[in-house]
Each structure stands twice: as structure tokens, then as C-alpha cells.
Amino acid sequence: GAEWNTEALGRNKRERAGVLLRRLRDTFAPGGLLHFGQGKWYPGEPLPRWALGCYWLEGGEALWRDAGLIADDGRDAGRTEADAADLARALAARLQISAEYLVPGYEDWLHYLWREAATPPDANDIVLPWAPQFRDDLSLALGRGLERPVGYALPLARDEQGACWRSGRWRFPRDAMYLLPGGAPMGFRLPVHTLPSDDAPPSGDDSAASLQPPRTALCVEARNGQLYVFMPPLRGFEEYRMLLRAVEETARDLAMPVLVEGGEPPAAPGLRVCRVTPDPGVIEVNVQPAASWDELEHITVTLYENARQTRLGTEKFMLDGRHTGTGGGNHVTLGGPTPADSPMLRRPDLLRSLLTFWQRHPSLSYLFSGLFIGPTSQAPRADERGDRFVLMLQRALALVDKGMAPRELDRTLRSCLADLTGNTHRAEFSIDKLYSEDSATGKLGLLEFRGFEMPPHARMSLAQMLLLRVMVLHFWRQPCHGELVRWGTLLHDRYLLPHYVWEDFSDVVEELNRAGYPVRTEWFEAFHEFRFPVYGRLRCAGMELELRMALEPWPVLEEATSVQRTARSVDSSLERLQVRCTGFDPSRYRITCNGRTVPMQAAGPDGLHVAGVRYKAWAAPHGLHPTAPVDAPLVFDVEDRALGRSVGGCVYHVAHPGGRSYETFPVNAYEAEARRFSRFWDWGHSPGIRERPVDEPPQGDLAHTLDLRREPSHD
């Protein structure tokens, strides 16, 4: 389904997320509060995204004592407007507020009568045409009835001394509260802009309590057969907790389970939160921070297990059978309980060391990433913007070495750690929440590593975390100084091949070993095999030829504008593979792909040679060079220069070898493996005597890669 591949919202994603949230509450926070909120609203999406949260306090103190009083949002319990009125009146009485201040909210009948009259006669007013799982606000309003209250609002605020709750009478120009049009919860649609201003002259019969009523309100609404309580924005956590306790006690007295939405608990020491939100193709889970390795291990293993029990996976298969991640990020955030405790702000040289070491070792960017990499990805390397940005970053790091205040540190590195468009959030090292004064949550002392993709197993995720923890400890004791590397075109020509990625990562492990940390490369071999699967192997003339998947940055195309959204797609028809050959003698043999010489480079003992082949895998009508032919299948020959003929070879089919198109995704690993095996033939080389082979010179900036899209050159 699209919701598990490209779309953020869908029929089943919200239901699965709710099940996962309750499982996480039972595991991490038995006394936690479940909050059913509203997230961001992106252009082109029919409704704002939902946002689920679980809040609890360290030490075991319960925010919500009875889990049975949390309603099941996945079923219709038959709750009506009358139940909402009863709950609202009982809650007002518990807060010692007169029920006469309750205000029923109605849909604006003038607006919806106009909407209905303007609707084309053949239109379906029940569902949204582009998202049939959602009903639009017109059908919701007409289905509920324009004469019935949507719910009840209780103007509410804490008095200045914090001793009691206060309310007041809301008066509206039309003698009734008509909500703003829309399908959002009632609390988001209160017409507070029509209330008299605080400096308006009072009428003669108003009491003192109603002269300046609060402009925030608690709302009770019956929706989808359940009761929702919309929490108002409050100044502090204690106020929120007292009001939440009153809601729970009222729900207990009336035996009416409720769902809490609206305002979230204000930040407070000891308050922990776990959030579950939708993202294109995946469900995003933001877990609580961990203060120790044992806690981190418990959180990670528990999350993976609960996701599995919820029938959610951390891996999937592509149409051709390739085993990949879900595409979701396994982003890691480092910081402290407070900004003053953050190691990045206490020791700016630690951040400088991480940036320098990471830039020197491309394997840290490419071994743990997803399929979409490169300068236009969601987590580009700083040096993928070009060599001039490397020089800019080098100068900024030199200033960091001299020491600076947190604000200066943020401003110095902000422009250097951004993508091509200047977006600081979409960068491999995101410092959006380090010490930025541009947002309310910017000064948290946090550094986010965005280059990690969600691995398929919890132990693989823990291996990533362990590597980061060891690096932080190492650079805390021994900072990393020196110049950055100006990779140029070598970065993508060489370090997108698995051999060089693994060779570079072995150097990383060796350096940590020399510093006294017993990290082992075997712990990360699963990443190598998962990230770079083998396509097939061939033995001929005392040599072993191996084809393995390599990485390829997908170029971003021009903007595609529609009525609903503006999007920029990528050309994913470009692929790259690695040719690795042992026992290879370049003076006697050469390897060709579709008749073109593969630039095999010496890479180790025993005649080990490695090269890459970039090719157009399938026809992309909206990609680069839409009329250019497809390069597949790829026919590899091992040619004997002296004999002038091929002594062996193999064929790699990018798609179905019979020319068919796979119509469905593999149902399990066995079908996926069968598809992969069927696409490699260890036979099929080009027979016959050849003319004396003439090696094709390297393609300029590509010393390690044969680009089949480029015309051959014999200069």
C-alpha cells in the first residue's frame, strides 16, 4: 500500500500506531498519559497529521492512574452529545466552576448551507476524492446535524495566585458560539477572535467574574462514538497535572473512559515522553532519551519487539527482491538533561572532533545510510556541497578550536552544516537544536546524526549506538585535530563501492583499537552484507569474479507542480554495482561489461582488483535522458588478451530475466531470494575470437568506475 511506501497517511497506519503506543505505555510507563494530538499539516495532504504521545514521570508517579479510563479510539462506544454534556457539567462542578459558563459549540450553518449549495450535483460529499479513508468537513457537519452541539467549551484558566480555577461568560455577536469551519477537533476551532477585547466597556449587569473571562477553554466533544477532552494551554506542569487529575476522577465517577487531546503537558524535570507520528511510508517513533547503556539497550530491544508484536517491520523487499530497510531514519541525538550539561556545549572541541573524523572517513556516512544518498538527500555530507564548502568548514572549525560561547558556536557552524538549499535540518550533522535563537526549542544543546537508516534488527541498531558512544569517549579524552580532506570526485567515484567503504571502516575500528577500545569489525559485518548484497559469483581461469551492489546518488529533477502540492522527484533509474576479482592479472586479462572495458584497480594482495559500473537500469520517462536506451542486461566477459577471446563470463539482469515485470512485492524472504538468484547467470559470455582488445582510457574524473551512459572514448 501507498501508506507503507510513499504516503504519510492511510487506512491502517493510524490503527497500527495506536496499538504500538499502548504497548509502549504498558512497557515503559504503566502510569503514563496517552495524548492523542494533532501534528503538522503539509501542503497536498487532506488533513493535518495525527500525533500520538505517551507522557510519564520518572520515579513511578502516575500521571494517569487507571488505564481502563483511556478509551479505545479504534472502536465506536456509542458516546453522544448528551454524554459530552454530562461529562462537561460534572468536570465543571469538580473544578468548583458554575455550569452556566459552559458554552455549546455549533457548526456554522450559514457556511455549510452555502457549501452544500455550491457543491456540484454529481459530487460525492461523503469522502475526499484523493483520500477515500477521510471524510471532509462538509459531510461530517451534515452527518452530525447542524442543529446539534458539536461539544461544550468551558472557559478556564488558573488565577494569578494559582489558588483556584477561574472562568467567565463568553458572549458572541450571534448569541451562540459557531465554530470555525473545518474537520479539526473543537478546541482548535473556537472563535475567540470574536470575543470582546479585555478593554471593552462592561455591560451593567455583568458580574465581576465575567468581565474578563479567560480566552482559553477546556472542551468536551463526542466524536466517532468516543468522548474527547481537549486540554487548554497552561503555564506550568503542575497546573496541567491538577487539571488532568480532575479529568480522570470525573471520568471514573461517571464510568466514562475518555481520550485526551489538545494541549500537551508543559516541559518539567523528570517528565519523559515517547511520540508516535506518521511519515511517508513509515511510522516514526521518537523514544525517550537514555542516560546509560543498559537503559539504551532496554529501550531499543523493547521497541523492536513491540513493533514486531504490532505487526510492524523494520525491513522490506523491493520488487526485484533486494532486501532493504524501510526508508525510515534511525537518527541519533546526543546531548544532556539540560543545555548546560550537553557535552557539545561544554566541550566544543568534541563537536569539532566528530565533524573532522566523520569527514575523513566516508564509510561512516555510507555504511549505515539508506538508498537515497548524495548532495540532495535528507542527510548530505558537508563535503558533498563541493570543495569550496570544505574550505569554509575548515575555517569555521579553526575558529571553534579557539573557544567560543554556545551562541557563537551555533552561528559559526550553522551555515556550514546545511544542505544545498541552506536547510540546516536536512544535514548529516543537524544542529537545529544545539543553541539556536531562531526557535523556542532551539537552545537544547542537542546534536542529531541523521545519516543512519533504521536497520532490520535491534542488535544492529545497538552496534551503531555503541560506535557513537565509543567515539564520543575517545574524542573527549583525545580530540581530533588537523585538516579536512578535499575528496573532490574521488568521494563518489571510490567510496560508493563496498570494498573501499569496508576498507575505510576497518581503519576507523583500528584507530579506536589503538586508543584502547575493543571494538570489532565482526560486529558490523551484518551492515556490509545488508547494505551491499552479493548479486553472484563466477570462477574462471583461476579467478573469482564477484558482482555486488554499490551505491548511487540519485539526482533530483525539476519541480513538478500540481493543484495539491509541489514536489521534486529523483531519477532512481541509475544504479551502480561493484566488480571484484581475485587472482586477476591485468597484463593478461581484461574484464568488459557490454563490450566496454571495466577500469579494474589494484586493491590488495593475491591479485585483488576492484571497479564499479554505473548504468541505466530501467526506462524513466521523467528521468534524466528519457530517450537514452537501458543498459541492462549487463554482460561481463573475462577476456584473454593473448588469445583474443573470452574465457568466461556472466550476465546480470536488472529485472526479470524473461523480460516480464514484477507486479507485486515479495511476500517473504524466500520469494525475494528466488528473485535475486534468478537475475544472475554464471554463463552467457560472448563467444568467438575478438579483435586485439584496446583498453578504453579512464573517463576523466572516474578512475574507478565505468559509466555506461557515457560514450566510449579511445583518445
Side-chain angles (χ1 to χ4, degrees), residues 323-371:
H323 192 186
T324 67
T326 60
N330 193 38
H331 302 164
V332 185
T333 303
L334 297 180
T338 66
D341 296 319
S342 171
M344 307 302 163
L345 297 182
R346 292 168 55 196
R347 289 275 302 275
D349 62 297
L350 174 61
L351 177 56
R352 188 251 197 270
S353 298
L354 289 170
L355 286 168
T356 302
F357 192 74
W358 217 273
Q359 196 272 339
R360 292 176 180 174
H361 293 284
S363 62
L364 296 174
S365 300
Y366 299 136
L367 182 60
F368 308 109
S369 63
L371 289 177

Coordinates of all heavy atoms in Angstrom, one line a residue, residues 323-371:
H323 N 16.8 -6.8 -0.6 CA 16.5 -6.7 0.9 C 16.9 -5.3 1.3 O 18.1 -4.9 1.2 CB 17.2 -7.7 1.7 CG 16.7 -7.8 3.1 ND1 17.3 -8.7 4.0 CD2 15.7 -7.2 3.7 CE1 16.7 -8.6 5.2 NE2 15.7 -7.7 5.0
T324 N 16.0 -4.4 1.8 CA 16.3 -3.1 2.1 C 15.7 -2.7 3.5 O 14.9 -3.5 4.0 CB 15.8 -2.0 1.1 OG1 14.4 -2.0 1.0 CG2 16.4 -2.4 -0.3
G325 N 16.0 -1.5 4.0 CA 15.4 -1.0 5.1 C 14.0 -0.4 4.8 O 13.7 -0.3 3.6
T326 N 13.3 0.1 5.7 CA 12.0 0.7 5.5 C 12.1 2.1 4.9 O 11.2 2.6 4.3 CB 11.2 0.8 6.8 OG1 12.0 1.6 7.7 CG2 11.0 -0.6 7.4
G327 N 13.3 2.7 4.9 CA 13.5 4.0 4.4 C 13.4 5.0 5.6 O 13.7 6.2 5.4
G328 N 13.0 4.6 6.7 CA 12.9 5.5 7.9 C 14.3 5.7 8.5 O 15.2 4.8 8.4
G329 N 14.4 6.8 9.2 CA 15.7 7.1 9.8 C 15.9 6.5 11.2 O 14.9 6.4 11.9
N330 N 17.1 6.1 11.5 CA 17.4 5.7 12.9 C 18.3 6.8 13.5 O 19.4 6.6 13.9 CB 18.2 4.4 12.8 CG 18.3 3.7 14.2 OD1 17.4 3.8 15.0 ND2 19.4 3.1 14.5
H331 N 17.7 8.0 13.5 CA 18.5 9.2 13.9 C 18.9 9.1 15.3 O 18.1 8.7 16.2 CB 17.7 10.5 13.6 CG 17.3 10.6 12.2 ND1 16.3 11.5 11.8 CD2 17.7 10.0 11.0 CE1 16.1 11.4 10.5 NE2 17.0 10.5 10.0
V332 N 20.1 9.5 15.6 CA 20.6 9.5 17.0 C 20.9 10.9 17.4 O 21.5 11.8 16.7 CB 22.0 8.7 17.0 CG1 22.5 8.6 18.4 CG2 21.8 7.4 16.4
T333 N 20.4 11.2 18.6 CA 20.5 12.6 19.2 C 21.4 12.5 20.5 O 21.1 11.7 21.4 CB 19.1 13.2 19.6 OG1 18.3 13.2 18.4 CG2 19.3 14.6 20.1
L334 N 22.4 13.3 20.5 CA 23.3 13.4 21.7 C 23.1 14.7 22.4 O 23.0 15.7 21.7 CB 24.8 13.2 21.3 CG 25.1 11.9 20.6 CD1 26.6 11.9 20.2 CD2 24.8 10.7 21.5
G335 N 23.1 14.7 23.7 CA 23.0 15.9 24.5 C 23.1 15.6 26.0 O 23.7 14.6 26.4
G336 N 22.4 16.4 26.7 CA 22.4 16.2 28.2 C 21.0 16.6 28.7 O 20.1 17.0 28.0
P337 N 20.8 16.3 30.0 CA 19.5 16.6 30.7 C 19.1 18.1 30.5 O 18.0 18.5 30.4 CB 19.7 16.3 32.1 CG 20.8 15.3 32.1 CD 21.7 15.7 31.0
T338 N 20.1 19.0 30.5 CA 19.9 20.4 30.3 C 21.0 20.9 29.3 O 22.0 20.2 29.1 CB 20.1 21.2 31.6 OG1 21.4 21.1 32.1 CG2 19.1 20.6 32.7
P339 N 20.8 22.1 28.7 CA 21.8 22.6 27.8 C 23.1 22.7 28.4 O 24.2 22.5 27.8 CB 21.2 23.9 27.3 CG 19.7 23.8 27.5 CD 19.5 22.9 28.7
A340 N 23.2 23.1 29.7 CA 24.4 23.3 30.4 C 25.2 22.0 30.6 O 26.4 22.0 30.7 CB 24.2 23.9 31.8
D341 N 24.4 20.8 30.5 CA 25.1 19.5 30.7 C 25.5 18.9 29.3 O 26.2 17.9 29.3 CB 24.1 18.5 31.4 CG 23.8 18.9 32.8 OD1 24.7 19.4 33.5 OD2 22.6 18.8 33.2
S342 N 25.2 19.6 28.2 CA 25.5 19.0 26.9 C 27.0 18.9 26.7 O 27.7 20.0 26.8 CB 24.8 19.8 25.8 OG 25.2 19.4 24.6
P343 N 27.5 17.8 26.3 CA 28.9 17.7 26.1 C 29.3 18.6 24.9 O 30.5 19.0 24.8 CB 29.2 16.2 25.8 CG 27.8 15.7 25.4 CD 26.8 16.5 26.2
M344 N 28.4 18.8 23.9 CA 28.7 19.6 22.8 C 29.0 21.1 23.1 O 29.8 21.8 22.5 CB 27.6 19.5 21.7 CG 27.3 18.1 21.3 SD 28.7 17.2 20.7 CE 28.0 15.5 20.9
L345 N 28.3 21.6 24.2 CA 28.4 22.9 24.6 C 29.5 23.1 25.7 O 30.2 24.1 25.7 CB 27.1 23.5 25.1 CG 26.0 23.5 24.1 CD1 24.7 24.1 24.8 CD2 26.4 24.3 22.9
R346 N 29.7 22.0 26.5 CA 30.8 22.1 27.5 C 32.2 22.0 26.8 O 33.1 22.6 27.2 CB 30.6 20.9 28.4 CG 29.4 21.1 29.3 CD 29.1 19.8 30.1 NE 30.3 19.3 30.8 CZ 30.4 18.1 31.3 NH1 29.5 17.2 31.1 NH2 31.5 17.7 32.0
R347 N 32.2 21.2 25.8 CA 33.5 20.9 25.1 C 33.2 21.1 23.6 O 33.0 20.1 22.8 CB 34.0 19.6 25.4 CG 34.5 19.4 26.8 CD 36.0 19.8 26.9 NE 36.8 19.1 26.0 CZ 37.4 17.9 26.2 NH1 37.2 17.3 27.4 NH2 38.1 17.3 25.3
P348 N 33.2 22.3 23.0 CA 33.0 22.5 21.6 C 34.0 21.7 20.7 O 33.7 21.4 19.6 CB 33.2 24.0 21.4 CG 32.9 24.6 22.7 CD 33.4 23.6 23.7
D349 N 35.2 21.4 21.3 CA 36.2 20.6 20.5 C 35.7 19.2 20.3 O 36.2 18.5 19.4 CB 37.5 20.6 21.3 CG 37.5 20.0 22.6 OD1 36.7 20.5 23.5 OD2 38.1 18.9 22.8
L350 N 34.8 18.7 21.1 CA 34.2 17.4 20.8 C 33.4 17.4 19.5 O 33.5 16.5 18.7 CB 33.3 17.0 22.0 CG 32.5 15.7 21.8 CD1 33.4 14.5 21.6 CD2 31.6 15.4 23.0
L351 N 32.6 18.4 19.3 CA 31.9 18.6 18.1 C 32.8 18.7 16.9 O 32.6 18.2 15.9 CB 30.9 19.8 18.2 CG 30.1 20.1 16.9 CD1 29.3 18.9 16.5 CD2 29.2 21.3 17.2
R352 N 33.9 19.5 17.2 CA 34.9 19.7 16.1 C 35.5 18.4 15.7 O 35.8 18.1 14.6 CB 35.9 20.7 16.6 CG 36.9 21.1 15.5 CD 38.3 20.6 15.8 NE 39.3 21.3 15.0 CZ 39.6 20.9 13.7 NH1 39.1 19.9 13.2 NH2 40.6 21.6 13.1
S353 N 35.8 17.6 16.8 CA 36.5 16.3 16.5 C 35.6 15.3 15.7 O 36.0 14.6 14.8 CB 36.9 15.6 17.8 OG 37.8 16.4 18.5
L354 N 34.3 15.3 16.1 CA 33.3 14.4 15.4 C 33.2 14.8 13.9 O 33.2 14.0 13.0 CB 32.0 14.4 16.1 CG 31.9 13.7 17.5 CD1 30.6 14.1 18.2 CD2 32.0 12.2 17.3
L355 N 33.1 16.1 13.7 CA 33.0 16.6 12.3 C 34.2 16.3 11.5 O 34.1 15.8 10.4 CB 32.7 18.1 12.3 CG 31.3 18.6 12.8 CD1 31.3 20.1 13.0 CD2 30.3 18.2 11.7
T356 N 35.4 16.5 12.1 CA 36.6 16.2 11.4 C 36.8 14.7 11.1 O 37.1 14.3 9.9 CB 37.8 16.7 12.2 OG1 37.7 18.1 12.5 CG2 39.1 16.5 11.5
F357 N 36.6 13.9 12.1 CA 36.8 12.5 11.9 C 35.8 11.9 10.9 O 36.1 11.1 10.1 CB 36.6 11.8 13.3 CG 37.0 10.3 13.3 CD1 38.4 10.0 13.3 CD2 36.1 9.3 13.3 CE1 38.8 8.7 13.3 CE2 36.5 8.0 13.3 CZ 37.8 7.7 13.3
W358 N 34.5 12.4 11.0 CA 33.5 11.9 10.1 C 33.8 12.3 8.6 O 33.6 11.5 7.7 CB 32.2 12.5 10.5 CG 31.0 11.6 10.3 CD1 30.2 11.4 9.2 CD2 30.4 10.7 11.3 NE1 29.2 10.5 9.4 CE2 29.3 10.0 10.7 CE3 30.8 10.4 12.6 CZ2 28.6 9.1 11.4 CZ3 30.0 9.5 13.3 CH2 28.9 8.9 12.7
Q359 N 34.3 13.5 8.4 CA 34.6 13.9 7.1 C 35.8 13.2 6.5 O 35.9 12.9 5.3 CB 34.9 15.4 7.1 CG 34.9 16.1 5.7 CD 36.3 16.1 5.0 OE1 37.3 15.9 5.7 NE2 36.2 16.2 3.7
R360 N 36.7 12.7 7.3 CA 37.9 12.0 6.9 C 37.5 10.5 6.5 O 38.3 9.9 5.8 CB 39.0 12.0 7.9 CG 39.6 13.4 8.1 CD 40.6 13.3 9.3 NE 41.3 14.5 9.5 CZ 42.1 14.8 10.5 NH1 42.4 13.8 11.4 NH2 42.7 16.0 10.7
H361 N 36.4 10.0 7.0 CA 36.1 8.6 6.8 C 34.7 8.5 6.2 O 33.7 8.5 6.9 CB 36.1 7.9 8.2 CG 37.5 7.7 8.8 ND1 38.4 6.8 8.3 CD2 38.1 8.4 9.8 CE1 39.5 6.9 9.0 NE2 39.3 7.9 9.9
P362 N 34.6 8.5 4.9 CA 33.3 8.4 4.2 C 32.5 7.2 4.6 O 31.3 7.2 4.4 CB 33.7 8.4 2.7 CG 35.1 9.1 2.7 CD 35.7 8.6 3.9
S363 N 33.1 6.1 5.0 CA 32.4 4.9 5.4 C 31.4 5.2 6.5 O 30.3 4.5 6.5 CB 33.3 3.8 5.8 OG 34.1 4.2 7.0
L364 N 31.6 6.1 7.4 CA 30.7 6.5 8.4 C 29.4 7.1 7.9 O 28.3 7.0 8.5 CB 31.3 7.4 9.4 CG 32.5 6.9 10.2 CD1 33.2 8.0 11.0 CD2 32.1 5.7 11.1
S365 N 29.5 7.6 6.7 CA 28.3 8.2 6.0 C 27.5 7.2 5.2 O 26.3 7.2 5.0 CB 28.7 9.4 5.1 OG 29.3 10.4 5.9
Y366 N 28.3 6.2 4.6 CA 27.7 5.3 3.6 C 27.4 3.9 4.0 O 26.6 3.2 3.4 CB 28.6 5.3 2.3 CG 28.8 6.7 1.7 CD1 30.0 7.1 1.2 CD2 27.7 7.5 1.5 CE1 30.2 8.3 0.7 CE2 27.9 8.8 0.9 CZ 29.1 9.2 0.5 OH 29.3 10.4 -0.1
L367 N 28.0 3.5 5.1 CA 27.8 2.1 5.6 C 26.4 2.0 6.3 O 25.8 0.9 6.2 CB 28.9 1.7 6.5 CG 28.8 0.2 7.0 CD1 28.9 -0.8 5.9 CD2 30.0 0.0 8.0
F368 N 26.0 3.0 6.9 CA 24.8 2.9 7.7 C 23.6 3.7 7.1 O 22.5 3.8 7.8 CB 25.0 3.5 9.1 CG 26.2 2.8 9.8 CD1 27.4 3.6 10.0 CD2 26.2 1.5 10.2 CE1 28.5 3.0 10.6 CE2 27.3 0.9 10.8 CZ 28.4 1.7 11.0
S369 N 23.7 4.2 5.9 CA 22.7 5.1 5.3 C 21.7 4.2 4.6 O 21.8 3.0 4.5 CB 23.3 6.1 4.4 OG 24.0 5.4 3.3
G370 N 20.7 4.9 4.0 CA 19.7 4.3 3.2 C 20.1 4.3 1.7 O 21.2 4.7 1.4
L371 N 19.1 4.1 0.9 CA 19.4 4.1 -0.6 C 19.6 5.5 -1.1 O 20.3 5.7 -2.1 CB 18.2 3.4 -1.3 CG 18.1 1.9 -1.2 CD1 16.9 1.4 -1.9 CD2 19.3 1.2 -1.7

